[in-house]
Amino acid sequence: MVEQLGNSPTRFYLLMRFFYIFSCLLTFGVQSFGQTVRILDSDSKTPLPGVLIFGTETNGSEVSDKNGNANISKFESQNTIHFQLLGFQSLTMSWEEIKKSDFLLKMFPGMIQMDQAIVSATKWRQSSQDVPGKVSVLSASNLQIRNPANSADWLGSSGEVFIQKSQQGGGSPMIRGFSANRLLYAVDGVRMNTAIFRSGNLQNVISVDPFSIQSTEVLFGPGSVMYGSDAIGGVMAFETLKPEFSKDTSLLSGNIFSRFATANNELTLHADVSWGFKKWAFLTSFSNFDYGDLKMGKSGPNEYLRPFYAERDGEMDTTISNSDPRVQVKSGYSQMNLMQKVSFKPSEKTEFDYGFHYSRTGDIPRYDRLIEGNGSALKYAEWYYGPQVWVMNTLGMTHRGESGIFDQMNVKIAHQYFEESRNDRRFGKEDLFKRTEKVNALSLNADFVKLIRNESFLTYGGEWVYNEVGSTGIVENIATGISTPASARYPDSDWNSLAVYSTYHAHFSEKLKLQTGLRYNFTDLQADFGNNTAFYPLPFSEASNSFGSVTGSLGLIFNPEPTLTISPVLSTGFRAPNVDDLGKIFDSEPGMVLVPNPDLKPEYAYNAELNLNKHFNQFLKLDFSGFYTLLDNALVRRPFTLNGETEIDYEGQPSQVFAIQNAASAKIYGFQAGIEFAVTKRILITSRYNWQKGTEELDDESTSPSRHAAPAFGLTRLSYLNKKLRIEFTTQYSREVSYGRMPLEEKGKPHLYAKDELGRPYSPSWMIFNFNTSYQLDPHIHLMAGVENIGDIRYQPYSSGIAAPGRNFTFSIRGSF
C-alpha cells in the first residue's frame, strides 16, 4: 500500500521553493484604476451580469458584475474585443468603437452565438474563429436547465459525445471512435489521466462535480501537442468555479441547490459560496449525491430485465426473484464532492490561485458483472468498486507583463491522489478478492505566450508529470474472516513524462490564418513485479520502458467571405504504454486473463480533417467536420503465452492467456454535422449528428469493427428563452448495431445485449424524448422541472452494461444571493 511518495515530500518542497523564488522575481507592477464598460440589455435597458469579455491576444478575460460593469483596460491595445452571453448576439468591437459609445454597450437578444471563447486549443483564451480544429463549448448556463446526474451525463447532453455505462456509477465518453485512455481529461488545466487509466471503459469523469463546473470544452481529434500522451481521440477540459474579486470593500455571493429524480430516487444537494475582496477572494463548494437502484423503461427488449439477483442467506448464496424486474437491484451508490479555491491578486498584473478538490464515492456495484451468468445461474455473488477517491491540490500563478520572451505566463504545480479498488466473489464461494490501487501524481506546467505582430502570437511551455503506483491484493474468507495475500492488479511502478512544446498562430489577413504546433515528449516507466511473483511464474521480476515521441499539428483558417470558414487540419497524437498496458493481471472477459508484457512501444495516430462553418446573419448557423484517423502500432489485446503456456489458472478458473501488444493498426473515419436555426429571437432549433466507422486488424489479419466506434447518434433540440422562462424539448437517438457489425470483442459479452431473431447479440436502435424547463420565480430563486424518456422506452446505449433510466421526473430548486 502506498500512502505517500517515497521521497516526494523532498521533491515537493524543492518544487515549492522553486515556485516561490520564481514568482517573487516576476511579481511586479503597480495598481491601475482601469477603464470600466457598462453592458445593458438593448430591450429592457437593464444591466447584463455574466458577460464574458475577451480579446485577440490571449491575455485573459473579464466577466461583467451584477451591475453589468467590467474593467476592460487590459484590452486597450487590442484590435478587437468580444462580448459573449447566452441568449444574446455576440458583440465584437474595437477599442475606438467602445470609446465612441462612451463605454456604454447594448447587447441584442439572439439565440445563436457566432463567436465563443476557446481555451483548450492552446491553453490560452482565443476566439473560436481563430481555432482551426473542432471545439465544442458546453456553457455552464445550460447546467441549470439540464441538471445532469453526473459529469458524464453533462458531456452526453451536448449530442456530440457518446456515453457508455457499465454501471450507474460511471460514464465512459466515446469521441470519434476512441475512448478510455485514448482520450484525455483535464481539470483546471491539470492532466487527470494517470498511469493506470485502462483501455477498457473508464469511470473517472464522475469524480468531477457537475455543479462546480464553470465551463466545459471538448476538443475533437488529436490534442497531443498541448496535452501529451493519451490525447488521441480528443480532450475534455473542465474549468471549475473561480472566486470573484470585489471592486469595492467586499463581495459575497452563493448558491444552494437541490435535485430529486424518480427513476432512481436520487437526492442531490449542492451549495457554494464566494467571498471576494480587492486582493483576496475565496470560494467553497460542496455537493452530496445519493442514488438508489435505477429503474429502466417499460417498452423494450426483455433481455435487459433483472428477473433475479444474488443475496447471502446465512452461510449460503441464494438467488432471489426480483419483485419488479425493471428495477436494477444493486445499482445504487453515493458520492460527495468538496472544493476550496483561494485567489490572491497583489497587482493588476499578477494573480495566484490555489485549488483543492476532493471526491469520494461509496461502494459502486459493477452491475454488468452482477448480471453475468447462464440462465438463473449467476457467476458473481458480489462485484463492486470500493470507494473511488480523487484529491487534487493545485497552486498556480498568472503574470502579465511585456518582456522580451513573454507577454503572459502561467505556472502551475499540482499534486493528485487517486484510490480505487475492485472486490469480487463468485457465487457459492467464500473467497472475496480485494485489489486496491493507489496513485500519487505530481505535475509542473509552465506556459508562456508572446505577441509577435498583427495578432500573431507564439505559445510555448514545458511539462513534467510523475506517477507512483502502488497495488495490493488480498483474499478474505467471508466465513472465517481470515485474510491472506493475493495477486495484485499492477506492479509497483514509477511513470515519468517530460515534455516541451510550442504553437504558433499566424494572422496573415482577415481571410487567412494559420496555427501550427510541435511537441517532444519523453516517457519512462519502471515496474517492480515483486508483489506478484509469488502467485504467477513470471519470467521477469522488473521491467523498464522508455521512449521519446514527437507530435505536431498544422491547421489553416480560410475565410473567403466573413460568413464562411474553411479549416483543413493535419495532426498527430500518441499514447505511451502505461502501467495498465504493460503490467496488468486481470480477467477482462469470462475465461480470459491479461498478463504483463514489457515489450511495448507507443502507438501513434495520424489525423486529417476538414471543418466547415457557415452562417446566415443571426438566424442560421451550419457546421460540418469530416475526419480520417489512422492508428498505427495500436496497443490491443492478443493471445499470448506465459512461460510457454497458453492457459493459466486465475482465481480458480482456467483462463486463456492474453496480453496487450503492438499488434494492429486501426482506421476511424466519419463526420459530425450541426445546425442552429433561430426561428425568432427567443426560439432556437439545434441539431447534432455524428457518424463514425472504425475497423481494426485482428490476429489472423482479418478485420473487425472497432469496439469504441459508437453507432451513429445525435440529438435535436427546440429551445425557448425569455427573461424568466426557459424551455427545452429534446429528442436523442442512436442507430442499431447489428450482429454483423458487432465488434468481435463485444460478441463475447452476450449478457449485455438484446438478441436478434436468430438469438445473436445485437444493440437495438433507440429514440427518446425529454422535456426540461426553468423558471425564475424572483431574482434569487429558480425552479426547474423535467421529464426524461417521456415514452418510458427500455433501452441500453451501445456497449453499456446497465439499462438507461425509464420515464424520469426531475425536480430542482436553486437559491442564490
Side-chain angles (χ1 to χ4, degrees):
M1 297 176 66
V2 179
E3 287 291 346
Q4 295 185 3
L5 294 162
N7 61 345
S8 66
T10 302
R11 294 176 182 168
F12 196 75
Y13 172 77
L14 291 173
L15 283 168
M16 292 294 290
R17 291 280 296 174
F18 166 78
F19 188 88
Y20 174 76
I21 294 170
F22 193 50
S23 62
C24 287
L25 292 173
L26 289 164
T27 304
F28 61 89
V30 295
Q31 296 279 2
S32 63
F33 294 100
Q35 178 62 59
T36 298
V37 66
R38 192 168 193 223
I39 310 167
L40 304 178
D41 182 328
S42 64
D43 290 352
S44 65
K45 305 300 187 291
T46 56
L48 288 178
V51 178
L52 177 63
I53 307 166
F54 59 98
T56 55
E57 297 179 5
T58 71
N59 66 338
S61 61
E62 292 290 338
V63 177
S64 62
D65 61 20
K66 62 182 180 181
N67 298 315
N69 297 325
N71 186 342
I72 61 169
S73 55
K74 69 172 68 172
F75 307 114
E76 184 173 0
S77 62
Q78 301 192 25
N79 292 338
T80 54
I81 305 169
H82 305 279
F83 300 82
Q84 175 186 315
L85 180 65
L86 183 67
F88 290 84
Q89 298 177 18
S90 299
L91 185 63
T92 300
M93 302 179 69
S94 68
W95 182 269
E96 287 301 317
E97 289 172 331
I98 297 172
K99 190 175 180 180
K100 288 179 181 178
S101 71
D102 203 21
F103 295 93
L104 179 64
L105 306 182
K106 297 177 183 178
M107 295 186 70
F108 292 84
M111 299 293 284
I112 297 180
Q113 292 184 334
M114 300 299 175
D115 189 27
Q116 291 182 302
I118 301 295
V119 176
S120 57
T122 62
K123 295 187 179 180
W124 299 99
R125 195 173 301 278
Q126 294 176 260
S127 165
S128 57
Q129 297 179 1
D130 293 332
V131 177
K134 177 176 173 57
V135 181
S136 289
V137 179
L138 282 72
S139 171
S141 58
N142 289 323
L143 272 167
Q144 184 160 286
I145 188 170
R146 294 175 194 166
N147 283 323
N150 56 40
S151 292
D153 291 346
W154 171 232
L155 290 168
S157 72
S158 68
E160 297 182 292
V161 179
F162 191 90
I163 302 297
Q164 179 277 350
K165 291 190 178 184
S166 298
Q167 63 276 333
Q168 185 179 187
S172 186
M174 296 183 182
I175 297 175
R176 286 193 176 181
F178 295 100
S179 184
N181 58 12
R182 289 179 177 137
L183 301 176
L184 189 128
Y185 305 82
V187 179
D188 291 339
V190 177
R191 173 193 179 94
M192 195 182 190
N193 292 43
T194 72
I196 65 170
F197 268 35
R198 56 190 180 274
S199 58
N201 298 305
L202 278 173
Q203 319 302 330
N204 296 73
V205 72
I206 69 169
S207 292
V208 182
D209 178 4
F211 300 109
S212 71
I213 294 174
Q214 183 165 288
S215 67
T216 306
E217 295 180 19
V218 182
L219 186 155
F220 295 87
S224 288
V225 168
M226 298 308 302
Y227 295 94
S229 178
D230 303 3
I232 287 180
V235 175
M236 289 155 284
F238 301 93
E239 291 292 328
T240 58
L241 298 172
K242 289 191 65 174
E244 294 183 38
F245 291 99
S246 172
K247 297 178 175 62
D248 302 314
T249 55
S250 66
L251 175 65
L252 181 65
S253 62
N255 298 281
I256 300 173
F257 170 85
S258 67
R259 165 186 152 113
F260 175 75
T262 60
N264 56 1
N265 291 318
E266 174 202 343
L267 179 60
T268 293
L269 299 172
H270 168 82
D272 63 76
V273 59
S274 176
W275 195 8
F277 301 88
K278 288 184 178 181
K279 291 189 177 183
W280 289 90
F282 307 86
L283 183 141
T284 302
S285 173
F286 170 81
S287 295
N288 189 77
F289 308 86
D290 190 9
Y291 309 94
D293 290 337
L294 184 63
K295 187 173 184 177
M296 67 182 75
K298 184 177 182 180
S299 304
N302 290 333
E303 289 86 356
Y304 299 153
L305 294 172
R306 174 77 147 145
F308 45 81
Y309 57 92
E311 283 285 6
R312 188 74 174 173
D313 185 8
E315 296 183 356
M316 295 181 58
D317 290 327
T318 60
T319 301
I320 305 296
S321 294
N322 190 355
S323 60
D324 186 351
R326 292 171 56 196
V327 176
Q328 299 172 93
V329 177
K330 297 188 177 181
S331 61
Y333 76 105
S334 61
Q335 181 172 329
M336 188 267 284
N337 282 73
L338 178 66
M339 182 178 75
Q340 179 65 53
K341 296 282 193 74
V342 180
S343 296
F344 172 56
K345 187 162 62 173
S347 74
E348 288 297 321
K349 293 185 176 182
T350 305
E351 184 175 328
F352 294 87
D353 295 290
Y354 167 75
F356 168 76
H357 297 260
Y358 176 83
S359 175
R360 180 186 179 92
T361 69
D363 291 342
I364 301 178
R366 180 159 177 183
Y367 187 81
D368 65 334
R369 291 300 181 98
L370 293 177
I371 62 174
E372 188 177 332
N374 295 315
S376 61
L378 294 171
K379 182 176 181 179
Y380 291 98
E382 298 180 75
W383 212 122
Y384 61 92
Y385 292 105
Q388 178 174 295
V389 179
W390 172 57
V391 182
M392 182 169 76
N393 286 275
T394 65
L395 180 62
M397 183 193 69
T398 300
H399 177 76
R400 293 187 300 273
E402 295 182 5
S403 71
I405 57 174
F406 69 86
D407 295 319
Q408 188 173 346
M409 64 165 291
N410 190 350
V411 178
K412 182 167 291 187
I413 185 172
H415 171 262
Q416 297 180 82
Y417 173 75
F418 300 83
E419 181 178 333
E420 57 187 52
S421 64
R422 293 160 177 82
N423 309 269
D424 66 273
R425 182 175 64 83
R426 294 178 184 268
F427 191 91
K429 304 294 184 181
E430 295 180 343
D431 287 341
L432 175 62
F433 289 87
K434 301 180 177 181
R435 294 180 172 89
T436 303
E437 288 75 54
K438 298 180 180 180
V439 180
N440 279 282
L442 287 172
S443 62
L444 175 65
N445 289 80
D447 292 281
F448 306 85
V449 60
K450 177 63 180 176
L451 180 66
I452 306 301
R453 66 180 183 277
N454 298 331
E455 299 184 21
S456 298
F457 61 89
L458 174 74
T459 76
Y460 59 96
E463 177 188 68
W464 170 67
V465 180
Y466 171 73
N467 283 193
E468 182 181 71
V469 178
S471 185
T472 61
I474 62 171
V475 56
E476 176 189 341
N477 186 297
I478 63 171
T480 65
I482 297 175
S483 297
T484 56
S487 63
R489 180 178 171 89
Y490 298 119
D492 293 330
S493 309
D494 294 305
W495 186 86
N496 278 278
S497 172
L498 188 65
V500 290
Y501 48 86
S502 180
T503 68
Y504 179 66
H505 180 90
H507 188 105
F508 299 119
S509 68
E510 291 303 317
K511 289 189 175 183
L512 184 62
K513 306 166 191 174
L514 175 146
Q515 190 158 294
T516 185
L518 189 68
R519 180 187 185 102
Y520 174 77
N521 208 125
F522 174 78
T523 56
D524 176 75
L525 172 57
Q526 303 294 326
D528 181 354
F529 292 88
N531 55 357
N532 271 327
T533 53
F535 305 99
Y536 300 102
L538 297 175
F540 45 80
S541 60
E542 296 181 345
S544 61
N545 190 293
S546 299
F547 289 97
S549 302
V550 178
T551 54
S553 64
L554 175 65
L556 290 174
I557 305 167
F558 176 52
N559 297 100
E561 56 182 79
T563 62
L564 175 64
T565 302
I566 303 172
S567 298
V569 178
L570 298 174
S571 57
T572 62
F574 81 100
R575 187 172 75 83
N578 65 13
V579 177
D580 185 87
D581 299 312
L582 182 145
K584 178 169 63 177
I585 300 178
F586 180 65
D587 64 327
S588 61
E589 290 181 20
M592 170 181 146
V593 62
L594 283 172
V595 299
N597 177 17
D599 298 321
L600 297 178
K601 300 177 181 179
E603 57 183 7
Y604 287 90
Y606 303 91
N607 178 73
E609 63 184 271
L610 178 66
N611 300 297
L612 305 174
N613 290 274
K614 171 68 176 177
H615 66 87
F616 301 86
N617 296 323
Q618 291 290 332
F619 73 91
L620 181 62
K621 181 179 178 182
L622 306 173
D623 66 86
F624 175 88
S625 297
F627 61 90
Y628 180 94
T629 305
L630 173 67
L631 186 65
D632 191 30
N633 251 359
L635 293 163
V636 294
R637 300 172 185 174
R638 289 290 183 266
F640 200 62
T641 59
L642 189 62
N643 292 325
E645 300 292 331
T646 60
E647 187 175 279
I648 64 172
D649 182 84
Y650 183 83
E651 294 187 1
Q653 179 178 345
S655 301
Q656 185 181 359
V657 176
F658 278 71
I660 300 295
Q661 303 174 54
N662 295 104
S665 64
K667 58 182 180 181
I668 311 288
Y669 53 92
F671 68 87
Q672 298 171 278
I675 180 173
E676 295 179 50
F677 175 52
V679 181
T680 70
K681 291 183 178 180
R682 300 297 183 186
I683 299 176
L684 177 70
I685 297 175
T686 305
S687 190
R688 311 295 319 174
Y689 187 77
N690 310 267
W691 181 89
Q692 49 276 313
K693 184 177 181 180
T695 56
E696 176 184 305
E697 280 186 316
L698 299 179
D699 195 41
D700 60 0
E701 297 186 359
S702 63
T703 61
S704 168
S706 295
R707 174 189 177 193
H708 290 138
F713 69 97
L715 64 74
T716 299
R717 178 175 287 135
L718 174 65
S719 304
Y720 171 79
L721 174 66
N722 69 18
K723 189 173 183 181
K724 290 189 175 183
L725 177 66
R726 185 173 177 187
I727 297 172
E728 286 189 350
F729 182 77
T730 306
T731 175
Q732 291 180 269
Y733 36 85
S734 177
R735 187 182 176 186
E736 172 187 304
V737 180
S738 66
Y739 179 80
R741 296 191 298 114
M742 184 79 69
L744 182 64
E745 193 171 342
E746 293 301 296
K747 290 179 179 179
K749 308 171 187 175
H751 64 287
L752 301 183
Y753 291 98
K755 290 181 173 58
D756 63 17
E757 64 277 3
L758 299 178
R760 303 174 302 181
Y762 84 112
S763 180
S765 61
W766 52 266
M767 175 182 289
I768 62 169
F769 296 90
N770 305 324
F771 176 82
N772 298 91
T773 183
S774 171
Y775 181 72
Q776 184 177 347
L777 192 62
D778 67 30
H780 304 290
I781 298 178
H782 278 84
L783 302 177
M784 288 77 70
V787 187
E788 300 169 356
N789 191 0
I790 295 172
D792 207 16
I793 302 300
R794 185 185 307 148
Y795 73 102
Q796 190 161 301
Y798 163 73
S799 191
S800 293
I802 189 169
R807 185 181 295 122
N808 186 25
F809 293 93
T810 63
F811 306 93
S812 307
I813 183 170
R814 179 187 296 271
S816 59
F817 60 91

